[in-house]
């Protein structure tokens, strides 16, 4: 090979290598000569379908306007911005590449898993430095976002009681003017509804089914302890009597025909369709259900007006409610300038004004304490606001099963639950396998 | 002492010389090859080396230690792996047995230029170009137990209403049933191959009194051997890593009744067991290699009939 060819090839190889390295290089904090600190946000993209992402986009836009010249949020388009099973893996890969965004949102199980990479920022310092800000959050808002050694891995975005939407006309037709307060009464009503050709409960095999399972566990003695602790400790759940009783009762509703027959797909749209079409008389979900389903054209005419929002029935010791403060803002920023900008956004987005804006746009309830007058003037969704008041009186308050449950709980449940309901395994086998599969790899 | 049988005369090897690149062109030729070489390295060679290398480790993203064949021993002892491997073989068999014979038959019929053959060819090709996710969503509605078309079709016949995708007895068959419509590729390949068959063969057969059926079975089908072999191979390689259809329709359930090797690897990956997931990837790779060799031999792909 001649010297000229060697030179040409070497130059081309060097150019290709340089381009490759440039393309693979991690993003350093940006700053312009004017001193503006630019941070990245991976859950602030505009979204016509996800009200939470849309709110984040608008909040980031307002932040950029208010802090123009000082801080700026660069909004990244991210296919993993919404909830999905591989969202955690996506951020774990970024963490390994030391390339986490400065701002993004995760649920509590994902936060617990990602914190193990040692790349998440601990907000303890900021909260300790500003006690007023720390005290502005609702009681328990940080419960699911705190590490084993007291680290605060996230700033909570919302704190929602999750109840059951019920069709007052349908339940009224079988003699229930209020939603049943005990599971026994629920079954009496469900049987009467079944005789009318109606379904008592709309489920989906995933989120809504787990909400019901959580309620069945949480309203039993010892159930709250399971949901807050034992579920995440890696043991075999088949030995827990509260879990066994809840599981068997929920399966019984499927076999008795109280639940929609397409309740295994894992798609909430199946549960929503059953309720919105008035085929089913109740569906469990959070306050966002109003804006995303109940007030849309998919709902039967007048359904919104005839819908109530209730606490969970109980066994015999009172009613219960799931309170979720799972989702939170996390940060992968490491340099001081970016952390300062992240801190500024955290304070901005947790002001009472922003919390109310978010509540109005998404239906989710504020994670911070909002003065009563401001809350009243915000004219929030009455169904949701009513449950917030009722939740204060609930005998049992507990987190959703996914908050402290292992990260693999969702896929394991979806795989095993249909087979269990169809009678292909007994309760003990189901719960043993569920607990083992959910914690596999942990 | 018997003399060894005379060996047939071998043609003397003719020394061949690779076409020489003109002097002044070597640099540009090498440079023009560089992007392909870089892309091949980055997107194939390097991942392949990583896959093979890490299949023998306990790589979790944060740590990596050599564990020998532990990952493979674990696969061998895992009943779920046996189940998903069986499922994968079932899907491969269903894919070949459903799509290839049906696609070849339809291709032969359309190649006869029956009325509307162009429109039919287009319509039958559509499912092949639809994204896997959209295709899966169509079938999730088709199989829906509450309002799906299938249950509505069989209800007047008095047949039992089923949750086709979530009953262990029917789930795998329901997934395989979706293969019926992905015939487009086989049809097009068959039709293209038929155009290369000399018309004289059919004319001669007709003169000899061969019926249409005899012409198709004695001339067309044997001469489609290469095309059929190629279709079998491509369908097998396309389906050996089947993921999206199963993931969207059932997520592998109920009780792993529909899970595939690729889905099994994905679950291991979700659990942070990247080394274990890559061991499954290596199994898929080796199975693919074995299929290529077998199908090429069975169908003598690339060989001409004398």
């Amino acid at each position: 090979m001649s010297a000229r060819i060697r030179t040409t090839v070497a130059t081309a190889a060097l150019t290709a290598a340089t381009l490759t390295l440039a393309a693979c290089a991690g993003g350093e904090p940006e700053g312009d000569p004017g001193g503006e600190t630019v941070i990245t946000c991976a859950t602030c993209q505009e979204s016509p379908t996800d009200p939470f992402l849309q709110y984040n986009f608008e909040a980031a836009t307002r932040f950029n306007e208010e802090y123009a010249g000082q801080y700026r949020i660069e909004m990244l388009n991210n296919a993993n911005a919404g909830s999905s099973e591989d969202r955690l893996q996506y951020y774990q890969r970024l963490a390994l590449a030391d390339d986490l965004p400065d701002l993004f949102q995760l649920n509590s199980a994902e936060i617990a898993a990602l914190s193990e990479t040692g790349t998440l920022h601990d907000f303890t310092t900021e909260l300790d430095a500003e006690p007023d800000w720390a005290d502005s959050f609702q009681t328990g808002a940080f419960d699911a976002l705190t590490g084993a050694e007291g680290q605060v891995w996230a700033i909570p975005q919302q704190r929602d009681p999750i109840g059951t939407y019920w069709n007052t006309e349908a339940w009224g037709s079988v003699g229930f003017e209020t939603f049943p307060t005990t599971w026994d009464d629920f079954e009496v009503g469900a049987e009467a509804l079944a005789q009318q050709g109606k379904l008592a409960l709309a489920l989906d095999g995933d989120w809504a089914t787990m909400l019901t399972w959580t309620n069945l566990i949480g309203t039993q003695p010892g159930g709250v302890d399971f949901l807050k602790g034992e579920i995440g400790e890696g043991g075999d759940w088949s030995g827990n009597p509260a879990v066994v009783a809840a599981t068997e009762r929920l399966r019984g509703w499927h076999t008795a025909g109280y639940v929609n027959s397409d309740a295994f797909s894992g798609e909430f749209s199946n549960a929503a369709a059953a309720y919105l079409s008035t085929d089913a008389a109740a569906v469990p979900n959070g306050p966002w259900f109003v804006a995303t389903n109940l007030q849309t054209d998919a709902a039967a005419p007048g359904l919104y007006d005839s819908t109530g929002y209730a606490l969970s029935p109980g066994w015999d010791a009172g009613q219960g409610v799931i309170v979720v403060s799972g989702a939170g803002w996390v940060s992968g920023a490491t340099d001081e300038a970016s952390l300062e900008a992240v801190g500024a956004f955290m304070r901005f987005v947790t002001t009472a004004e922003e919390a109310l804006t978010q509540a109005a746009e998404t239906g989710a309830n504020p994670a911070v304490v909002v003065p009563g007058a401001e809350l009243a003037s915000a004219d929030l969704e009455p169904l949701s606001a009513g449950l917030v008041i009722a939740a204060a009186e609930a005998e049992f308050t507990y987190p959703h099963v996914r908050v402290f449950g292992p990260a693999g709980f969702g896929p394991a449940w979806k795989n095993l639950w249909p087979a269990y309901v169809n009678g292909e395994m007994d309760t003990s086998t189901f719960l043993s396998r569920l607990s083992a599969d959910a914690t596999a790899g942990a | 002492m018997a003399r060894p049988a005379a060996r047939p005369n071998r043609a003397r090897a003719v020394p061949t010389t690779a076409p020489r690149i003109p002097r002044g062109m070597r640099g540009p030729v090498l440079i023009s090859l560089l992007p392909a070489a870089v892309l091949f390295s980055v997107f194939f060679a390097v991942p392949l080396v990583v896959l093979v290398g890490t299949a023998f480790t306990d790589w979790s993203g944060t740590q990596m230690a050599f564990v020998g064949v532990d990952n493979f021993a674990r696969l061998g002892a895992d009943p779920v792996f046996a189940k998903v491997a069986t499922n994968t073989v079932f899907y491969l068999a269903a894919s070949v047995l459903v799509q290839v014979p049906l696609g070849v038959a339809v291709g032969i019929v359309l190649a006869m230029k029956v009325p509307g053959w162009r429109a039919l060819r287009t319509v039958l090709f559509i499912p092949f170009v639809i994204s896997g996710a959209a295709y899966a969503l169509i079938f999730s509605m088709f199989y829906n137990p509450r309002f799906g078309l299938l249950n509505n079709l069989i209800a007047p016949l008095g047949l039992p209403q089923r949750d086709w995708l979530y009953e262990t007895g029917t789930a795998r068959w329901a997934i395989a049933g979706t293969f019926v419509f992905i015939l487009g590729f086989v049809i097009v390949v068959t039709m293209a191959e038929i155009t290369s068959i000399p018309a004289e063969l059919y004319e001669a057969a007709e003169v000899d009194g061969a019926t249409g059926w005899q012409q198709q079975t004695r001339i067309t089908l044997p001469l489609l051997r290469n095309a059929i072999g190629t279709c079998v191979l491509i369908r097998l390689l396309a389906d050996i890593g089947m993921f999206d259809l199963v993931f969207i329709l059932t997520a592998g359930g109920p009780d792993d009744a529909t899970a595939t090797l690729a889905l099994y690897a994905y679950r291991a990956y979700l659990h942070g067991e990247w080394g274990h997931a890559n061991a499954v990837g290596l199994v898929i790779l080796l199975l693919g290699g074995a299929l290529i060799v077998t199908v090429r031999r069975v169908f003598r792909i690339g060989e001409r009939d004398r």
Side-chain angles (χ1 to χ4, degrees):
Chain A
M1 195 185 280
S2 73
R4 194 170 56 131
I5 292 172
R6 278 200 299 272
T7 309
T8 310
V9 172
T11 308
L14 194 62
T15 309
T18 309
L19 287 171
T20 307
L21 284 174
C24 294
E28 288 299 312
E30 293 178 35
D32 69 15
E36 184 181 67
T37 303
V38 180
I39 54 173
T40 54
C41 177
T43 47
C44 297
Q45 68 206 48
E46 204 166 7
S47 171
T49 53
D50 186 329
F52 288 94
L53 283 180
Q54 182 62 23
Y55 165 74
N56 293 350
F57 168 75
E58 292 169 11
T61 305
R62 286 191 288 273
F63 176 82
N64 285 347
E65 285 166 7
E66 188 164 327
Y67 289 93
Q70 189 179 1
Y71 308 123
R72 182 165 61 82
I73 295 174
E74 185 187 333
M75 301 165 213
L76 308 175
N77 270 322
N78 175 12
N80 292 286
S83 61
S84 67
E85 280 173 7
D86 48 5
R87 179 169 70 172
L88 173 62
Q89 287 293 321
Y90 169 72
Y91 285 115
Q92 280 178 329
R93 287 199 302 273
L94 294 183
L96 291 172
D98 201 17
D99 199 25
L100 278 178
D102 297 315
L103 276 172
F104 55 109
Q105 289 176 311
L106 292 176
N107 67 40
S108 55
E110 292 166 332
I111 290 168
L114 192 61
S115 67
E116 288 172 15
T117 63
T119 52
L120 283 187
H121 175 65
D122 176 3
F123 287 97
T124 310
T125 315
E126 286 91 337
L127 289 162
D128 286 349
E130 291 186 53
D132 287 348
W133 183 43
D135 291 343
S136 70
F137 290 93
Q138 304 234 33
T139 309
F142 288 94
D143 282 358
L145 311 173
T146 304
E149 290 158 19
Q151 308 97 320
V152 178
W153 297 124
I155 301 298
Q157 184 195 18
Q158 70 211 60
R159 185 176 184 277
D160 288 309
I162 296 182
T164 301
Y165 291 91
W166 61 290
N167 186 326
T168 55
E169 289 178 7
W171 284 92
S173 72
V174 291
F176 285 86
E177 297 309 316
T178 58
F179 193 62
T181 56
T182 66
W183 296 119
D184 287 342
D185 283 349
F186 173 82
E187 287 179 359
V188 169
E191 184 55 40
L193 285 165
Q195 284 171 10
Q196 289 183 7
K198 284 196 177 298
L199 302 162
L201 192 60
L203 297 180
D204 60 359
D206 192 356
W207 169 252
T209 305
M210 288 179 205
L211 285 173
T212 309
W213 193 62
T214 304
N215 281 325
L216 281 160
I217 294 171
T219 49
Q220 293 180 72
V224 177
D225 294 336
F226 173 80
L227 293 168
K228 284 189 169 175
E230 193 186 329
I231 191 170
E233 290 166 6
D236 183 342
W237 305 334
S238 65
N240 186 308
V243 178
V244 171
T247 307
E248 290 182 340
R249 196 149 193 175
L250 184 53
R251 177 173 68 174
W253 298 346
H254 283 79
T255 51
Y258 302 160
V259 177
N260 47 314
S261 58
D262 58 347
F264 299 120
S265 69
E267 298 294 332
F268 181 73
S269 56
N270 282 1
Y275 183 78
L276 297 176
S277 64
T278 70
D279 286 350
V283 61
N285 202 0
W288 48 86
F289 180 73
V290 175
T292 54
N293 287 275
L294 208 47
Q295 292 178 329
T296 65
D297 292 340
L303 184 62
Y304 172 81
D305 297 324
S306 60
T307 291
Y309 197 27
L311 297 175
S312 162
W315 293 70
D316 50 17
Q319 292 182 261
V321 67
I322 296 169
V323 177
V324 171
S325 57
W329 288 98
V330 292
S331 173
T334 50
D335 67 289
E336 220 167 279
S338 297
L339 283 171
E340 187 185 305
V342 167
F345 181 70
M346 291 294 99
R347 288 176 196 81
F348 174 83
V349 84
T350 52
T351 57
E353 187 183 350
E354 278 298 323
L356 284 175
T357 305
Q358 177 186 260
E361 288 187 15
T362 65
N365 290 288
V368 293
V369 178
V370 178
E374 288 183 41
L375 205 55
S377 65
D379 195 23
L380 296 180
E381 165 54 42
L383 285 173
S384 169
L387 191 73
V388 172
I389 296 164
E393 305 296 323
E395 190 72 31
F396 300 98
T397 300
Y398 36 83
H400 184 267
V401 69
R402 273 183 160 169
V403 172
F404 292 103
F409 182 86
W413 175 277
K414 277 166 65 179
N415 181 38
L416 298 172
W417 178 247
Y420 169 65
V421 171
N422 289 329
E424 284 151 22
M425 60 181 83
D426 60 24
T427 308
S428 176
T429 306
F430 167 67
L431 289 173
S432 292
R433 284 196 54 193
L434 181 66
S435 45
D437 290 3
T439 51
Chain B
M1 190 171 163
R3 292 180 60 187
R7 288 182 181 171
N9 281 336
R10 279 189 180 170
R12 184 174 289 175
V14 179
T16 55
T17 50
R20 291 184 65 81
I21 302 169
R23 258 184 184 286
M25 288 300 290
R26 285 182 186 170
V29 166
L30 287 171
I31 290 170
S32 68
L33 287 175
L34 197 60
V38 169
L39 289 174
F40 178 81
S41 302
V42 170
F43 293 108
F44 184 75
V46 172
L48 184 63
V49 169
V50 170
L51 176 89
V52 175
T54 57
F56 299 92
T57 71
D58 65 352
W59 189 26
S60 68
T62 51
Q63 62 168 41
M64 180 159 61
F66 181 74
V67 294
V69 294
D70 281 7
N71 286 329
F72 299 95
R74 217 177 117 194
L75 290 179
D78 185 357
V80 176
F81 178 76
K83 200 182 237 185
V84 302
T86 308
N87 291 343
T88 304
V89 171
F90 172 83
Y91 293 137
L92 291 177
S95 172
V96 168
L97 294 177
V98 171
Q99 292 177 16
V100 177
L102 211 53
V104 168
V106 174
I108 290 173
V109 172
L110 293 186
M112 293 173 183
K113 311 277 168 69
V114 293
W117 69 276
R118 284 179 205 277
L120 272 172
R121 183 181 60 181
T122 307
V123 168
L124 290 169
F125 200 74
I126 288 172
F128 184 71
V129 294
I130 291 178
S131 82
Y135 192 73
L137 286 174
I138 291 169
F139 276 95
S140 75
M141 287 186 274
F142 176 75
Y143 286 127
N144 184 291
R146 213 158 65 84
F147 54 78
L149 183 61
L150 182 56
N151 271 350
N152 279 311
L153 284 174
I154 64 171
L157 306 175
L159 294 170
Q161 302 287 286
R162 309 195 76 117
D163 191 353
W164 299 95
L165 288 170
Y166 292 96
E167 287 181 27
T168 311
T170 57
R172 209 166 60 168
W173 292 95
I175 300 263
T178 67
F179 299 166
V180 170
F181 299 98
I182 315 177
L183 305 174
F185 177 78
V186 180
I187 291 171
V188 168
V189 170
T190 302
M191 290 179 74
E193 186 73 1
I194 287 173
T195 60
S196 70
I197 299 175
E200 294 84 357
L201 293 178
Y202 295 103
E203 289 162 7
E206 212 166 314
V207 170
D208 290 344
T211 63
W213 173 256
Q214 285 171 325
Q215 288 177 33
Q216 299 306 332
T217 53
R218 305 278 174 83
I219 299 174
T220 310
L221 266 182
L223 291 177
L224 283 176
R225 176 180 50 76
N226 261 313
I228 292 171
T230 304
C231 288
V232 168
L233 193 55
I234 286 175
R235 287 317 317 160
L236 289 175
L237 295 182
D239 291 332
I240 195 171
M242 189 164 73
F243 178 83
D244 50 359
L245 190 70
V246 172
F247 184 74
I248 292 169
L249 283 177
T250 62
D255 191 14
D256 304 308
T258 59
T260 60
L261 285 169
L263 194 66
Y264 182 88
Y266 172 72
R267 286 179 187 164
Y269 175 70
L270 277 185
H271 288 141
E273 298 177 305
W274 297 6
H276 191 56
N278 283 351
V280 183
L282 188 53
V283 169
I284 294 173
L285 193 72
L286 294 174
L287 185 57
L291 286 174
I292 290 172
V293 171
T294 308
V295 173
R296 281 182 65 87
R297 285 198 175 171
V298 168
F299 286 90
R300 293 182 288 119
I301 293 175
E303 292 178 24
R304 288 201 170 277
D305 289 310
R306 295 195 182 96

